[in-house]
Amino acid sequence: MAGNKQWAAPLRNVVVLLLVWEVVGRLDLIADGALPGVSEILIGLWNDRSDYPLHVWETLKASGLGFVIGNLLGVVAGIFFVLIPVSLRVFRGLNIAIFALPPIAIAPILSLTLSGLTPRVVLAALGCYFVTMTATVIGLSQSDSRAADLIRVYGGSNWLIMRMVQFRSALPSILSGFRVAAPNAVLGAILAEFGGGGRWGLGAYLLGSLGRAEPERLWGIGVVATLIAGLAYGVFALMSHRFVGASRAVTMNMSVPEKAGDGSNRPLSSILAGAMAVLLPFLFWWAFIRLLDVPAMISKTPIGVVEYLFFSPAAQSAQERLIAALWETLPITGIGLLCGLSFAFLLAISSRLFPAFLRAFMPVALVTQTMPLVALTPLLVLLLGRGTSLTLWVTISVTFFPAFVILAQGISMVPRATRELAMAYGASAGQELRIITIPASMPYLFAATRLTVPRALLGVMIAEWLATGKGLGNLLNQSRGYMDYGMIWTVAALSVILAVVFYQLVVVVERRVLLRMGMSTAE
Amino acid sequence: MPSGGITFHGVCKTFSGRGKTIEALRDMSLSCPSGSFTAIIGPSGCGKSTAMRIALGLEDADKGAVLIEDREPQDATRAGLTGVAFQDAALLPWRSVRQNVEVPLEVLRKNIRDFAPDVQHLIELVGLKGYENALPGELSGGMRQRVAIARALVTRPRVLFMDEPFGALDQILRRQMNLELQRIWQESQATAFLVTHGIDEAVFLADRIAVMSANPGRLSVVIDVPFERPRKPELFSDPAFHALCDKVAEVLHGGQ
């Protein structure tokens, strides 16, 4: 019975939401019918039923293959990083670059240098790699240190500990990595379809339908993309849940965690690892081009980009266009990010005061996690037109939901006893917030910021590419049309570098603040 | 001179972290003859667990050395001479009782099938017959601890290390387990090294009690326990037993 009750409230909310949607849609209340009713979307899906199988199959193939490859790489890399801790520092730059790179920025590059299905698979795999790698590293390093000691006491090697203890106990974490990676894979495949100009795939379908005034079809494509990602999300959520039961330590591990012996106290090796971390992404870039053997006119090495931007005849004009685009993109990214995060923070904190609201809203927020965010942009175009407000709203919506989920889950982890202590002395709800909930949520606020910085940039660039015709996203799209390869590579490199720099800034501030507050960072 | 058992020769160990250095062990020398039962007792931070971790080869000593059956700790563990039971059962939650007992055999690359009767015998010895296929999550705290004891004995160790093996149990269960441990140890004839917080546990089980003190961690005195074996539960209420407990307590508090 308890299970029934648990499901009843969210189910009721979903039904109410769908009903309201249907009525509003049928009456064309929003932006002259930009929001069709649920039944209209379903009818649209039925009418287009002959189009979907090929598009879906194409996207499924690319994202599925990318999902497998990216996750495999993620798990193997995670195991490697845990077995050889110093490698994590050396690869840090590359890992962050992969995490932070806006997929849309490198989609044109991949389409230029690779052929067929490969660019889609690569972009899907890139979307999975970081999530799964992080989940693997966290899962492996959080395994029971006492069990590891036991193996070591009998002369077992690190590899044996990995095999007998760590890997099995990291399984739930790895599976939840797969869960989060699933929508990323679909997103990556669709974005590559945008840049690739192929005939089939949901991305191509979306791009082709964008110009026509058929809101039902755009919504239909969005729903299908979300369903694919949501299904994969659900399957791995279920598997992860199954495995947790048998892998949680039966008793609490009270022993102090060992400090990782990664040589961080030796200044020389520390500097060396840092330098490697910065150099490695460029080395990979260079090696990528060398190995592919693409004509030098199309593919630019790091040196090629510097040449183009500063020493070529077109340098002057390139710099001007780039600066104008940055001036357009950066402020709106910042504002959107700030708004999204503030909304999420305020809502998450106040949901502490109104738990019923949180219970109702959380499922909605979780559903948006499975939604590939490209599917969102065309819908917002329908609702908001193609102005700057569109870019802002896309950015807010891609940052708000993930930030809210992290914050709400983080806040719910504040130990009950801590809160009850304040209550026991008669603290008001406001006092409790000020003294306990807000300080306790700081690590999660930073974690949310770290996570959403790259998403904000991606959101802005997608909106610019698809709709507004301004800024970096547009410059990228235009350069594709003009076959201005130097600019394509420059924008791609610059947006990755920007995302990494922003990310790194947040990390530095986070460490400072949390150290002062005596807290550790949340993952 | 070869003597077997466990010998600590002037072992020193300092830890450094966050600008502070902690002297966990200063010049510890102790020898536990073959087949004896030694209990190590002391306040938190006196280095008793560190001493054990060094003897097990989990940490290296800064100075001095430990010999297990006249070998380096890591050689001894690799040769399967040592058995160990930690503060907490530390069972692998996804393995059954039998599979958990088999872990050391697997690590030492023994053929598990050859040891099947041994494993069964040990599981029965610790009173878990019928629970061979249960998962740790289905067992009580005392039962889990007994699995850990069986696991510690499965390699037929010459030296048995125990770090507060009953620390998480209540007083009643603890006494019961003490009795069982004495029986099992006598049967195994191994050299036993028990790290504990419990004075009565140490006095009941050990031939000798090494009392340690903190800041820096060091050995302050070794007290002999004269009671005959096998020791009966009645010993817990013997005045001589209490007198010895008081003596240990006195040294413990004086040592600070």
Side-chain angles (χ1 to χ4, degrees), chain B residues 29-40:
Chain B
S29 292
L30 175 71
S31 73
C32 315
S34 196
S36 70
F37 197 123
T38 308
I40 308 281

Side-chain angles (χ1 to χ4, degrees), chain A residues 420-438:
Chain A
E420 283 173 351
L421 179 78
M423 300 296 187
Y425 288 100
S428 67
Q431 277 178 313
E432 191 264 325
L433 271 186
R434 189 170 52 80
I435 299 172
I436 291 163
T437 304
I438 292 181

Side-chain angles (χ1 to χ4, degrees), chain A residues 144 146-147 149-156 160 164-166 168-169 246-252 258-259 515, chain B residues 53 56 58 77-78 82-84 86 88 90-95 103-104 106-108 136-137 144 151-152 155:
Chain A
D144 199 334
R146 303 162 301 176
D149 276 350
L150 180 83
I151 307 291
R152 203 167 283 134
V153 159
Y154 289 101
L160 197 68
M164 287 183 73
V165 180
Q166 289 177 304
R168 177 59 183 78
S169 72
S247 27
R248 228 180 245 151
V250 185
T251 51
M252 195 77 137
E258 279 177 69
K259 254 188 76 185
L515 194 69
Chain B
R53 289 178 68 84
L56 285 167
L58 288 173
T77 55
R78 245 165 239 152
T82 51
V84 64
F86 285 114
D88 185 285
L91 303 177
L92 299 178
W94 52 86
R95 284 172 165 246
V103 164
E106 243 173 89
V107 178
L108 292 166
R144 275 184 225 138
R151 184 182 59 194
T155 56

